[in-house]
């Protein structure tokens, strides 16, 4: 037994992925070198993709790898390179020790309350199957998106177009 | 596996992101922290989709919509950052006060 969970392959995978996510997240906040921050960001996003696949959401996991670990990280690295005059730039900006401690305590109280609530709530019965859906998740997601959420899907595509054009217009150098 | 470990992981990741968004002063790092908080929300959505008494795909659909909106947000945020950096030559959030009343 490991923290009250039976030791199975899924449990071990979960703990390894959780360790990767949390360690990468803490590194992201404590490192000062810009490039190291970007690399630890990849750790967080890949770990979350692994959690998705562990939960039977293989399509969402692959989308997470493509969009987050691929596109968004590269975008962040580009922005860091464009605004820091080379990769040796160190980020010094943080709030002072008093406000830092106060923020840390508040966040710790919020997270502690959440964890206590999660622990003390009786959740509905858990499944042991790694893949609870009886057909491919891609089929199910496609059915849901194109039958039930068609309007939302079209709205998202409109939002993406507007965001792309807007980003190009905002970032353009003014004549 | 049960539902609780995944919710706990989501809560911890949300806390890390919240702390980063509140204490860092570089705009890019604040954006990254917000992305981590969105990821924590996605973990919760997918976990609930998996562990409901009758497993339901809609949590995964919501997670996909969430990812799309997050990508749009990052694109616009970084465009604003580049434009701001060109005008002020800094990416510190304290200097973003041109529209402060």
């Amino acid at each position: 037994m490991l923290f009250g969970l039976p030791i199975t392959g899924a449990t071990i995978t979960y703990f390894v992925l959780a360790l990767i996510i949390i360690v990468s997240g803490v590194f992201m906040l404590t490192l000062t070198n810009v490039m190291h921050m970007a690399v630890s960001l990849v750790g967080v996003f890949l770990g979350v993709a692994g959690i998705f696949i562990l939960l039977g959401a293989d399509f969402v996991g692959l989308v997470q790898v493509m969009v987050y670990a691929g596109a968004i990280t590269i975008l962040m690295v580009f922005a860091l390179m464009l605004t820091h005059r080379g990769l040796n730039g160190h980020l010094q900006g943080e709030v002072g020790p008093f406000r830092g401690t106060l923020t840390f305590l508040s966040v710790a109280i919020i997270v502690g309350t959440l964890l206590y609530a999660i622990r003390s709530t009786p959740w509905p019965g858990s499944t042991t199957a790694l893949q609870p859906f009886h057909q491919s998740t891609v089929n199910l997601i496609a059915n849901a998106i194109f039958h039930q959420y068609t309007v939302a899907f079209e709205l998202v595509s409109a939002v993406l177009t507007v965001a792309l054009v807007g980003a190009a217009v905002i970032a353009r150098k003014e004549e | 596996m049960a539902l609780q470990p995944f919710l706990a992981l989501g809560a911890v990741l949300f806390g890390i992101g919240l702390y980063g968004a509140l204490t860092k002063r570089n705009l890019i790092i604040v954006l990254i922290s917000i992305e981590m908080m969105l990821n924590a929300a996605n973990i919760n959505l997918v976990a609930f989709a998996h562990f409901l008494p009758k497993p339901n795909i809609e949590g995964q659909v919501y997670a996909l919509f969430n990812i799309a909106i997050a990508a749009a947000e990052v694109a616009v945020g970084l465009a604003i950052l580049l434009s701001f950096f060109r005008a002020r030559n800094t990416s510190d959030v304290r200097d973003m006060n041109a529209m402060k009343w």
Side-chain angles (χ1 to χ4, degrees):
Chain A
M1 299 293 271
L2 195 63
F3 298 106
L5 293 167
I7 296 181
T8 59
T11 315
I12 294 169
T13 316
Y14 166 79
F15 276 107
V16 170
L17 288 173
L19 197 70
I20 290 174
I21 292 173
I22 292 171
V23 167
S24 308
V26 173
F27 271 174
M28 220 284 298
L29 292 185
T30 50
L31 292 175
T32 49
N33 188 302
V34 168
M35 214 53 212
H36 299 168
M37 282 177 145
V39 172
S40 51
L41 189 65
V42 174
V44 173
F45 289 155
L46 286 184
V48 174
I51 289 286
F52 286 164
I53 293 172
L54 182 63
L55 282 168
D58 38 13
F59 183 70
V60 184
L62 288 179
V63 168
Q64 165 95 5
V65 171
M66 280 195 294
V67 174
Y68 274 104
I72 288 185
T73 312
I74 298 299
L75 215 57
M76 294 286 183
V77 171
F78 268 151
L80 285 169
M81 284 159 82
L82 283 173
T83 55
H84 277 93
R85 315 207 181 292
L87 294 177
N88 298 322
H90 284 249
L91 303 171
Q92 68 285 3
E94 261 217 60
V95 295
F98 175 69
R99 275 183 60 187
T101 319
L102 205 65
T103 313
F104 182 79
L105 283 180
S106 325
V107 172
I109 289 172
I110 291 174
V111 173
T113 316
L114 278 176
L115 290 180
Y116 176 73
I118 289 169
R119 195 173 173 75
S120 57
T121 308
W123 296 104
S126 62
T127 166
T128 51
L130 275 183
Q131 178 54 272
F133 307 106
H134 297 299
Q135 49 175 315
S136 153
T137 54
V138 180
N139 282 348
L140 289 168
I141 288 176
N143 272 329
I145 284 182
F146 290 111
H147 287 156
Q148 215 173 339
Y149 297 106
T150 319
V151 178
F153 177 73
E154 296 297 333
L155 280 179
V156 164
S157 57
V159 165
L160 280 176
T161 314
V162 170
L164 239 156
V165 175
V169 168
I170 291 172
R172 192 186 50 186
K173 194 168 277 180
E174 289 183 22
E175 303 300 323
Chain B
M1 291 297 288
L3 174 62
Q4 287 94 326
F6 293 99
L7 297 188
L9 177 66
V12 171
L13 189 60
F14 184 86
I16 293 174
L18 184 60
Y19 180 76
L22 289 178
T23 56
K24 297 293 173 180
R25 281 183 169 158
N26 185 294
L27 189 60
I28 302 174
I29 306 300
V30 173
L31 270 176
I32 289 175
S33 304
I34 292 173
E35 290 305 312
M36 284 164 67
M37 288 156 74
L38 284 169
N39 258 313
N42 283 345
I43 289 180
N44 276 16
L45 284 173
V46 176
F48 276 114
H50 183 277
F51 285 108
L52 278 180
K54 191 170 175 294
N56 198 329
I57 200 71
E58 300 188 359
Q60 297 186 17
V61 175
Y62 282 2
L64 284 175
F65 282 138
N66 223 341
I67 289 174
I69 298 299
E73 174 230 321
V74 166
V76 175
L78 290 182
I80 291 174
L81 167 79
L82 284 187
S83 167
F84 172 73
F85 186 79
R86 210 172 272 138
R88 297 277 193 96
N89 215 7
T90 171
S91 60
D92 193 319
V93 285
R94 283 170 298 179
D95 295 325
M96 296 195 95
N97 52 8
M99 292 176 79
K100 207 168 174 181
W101 187 55

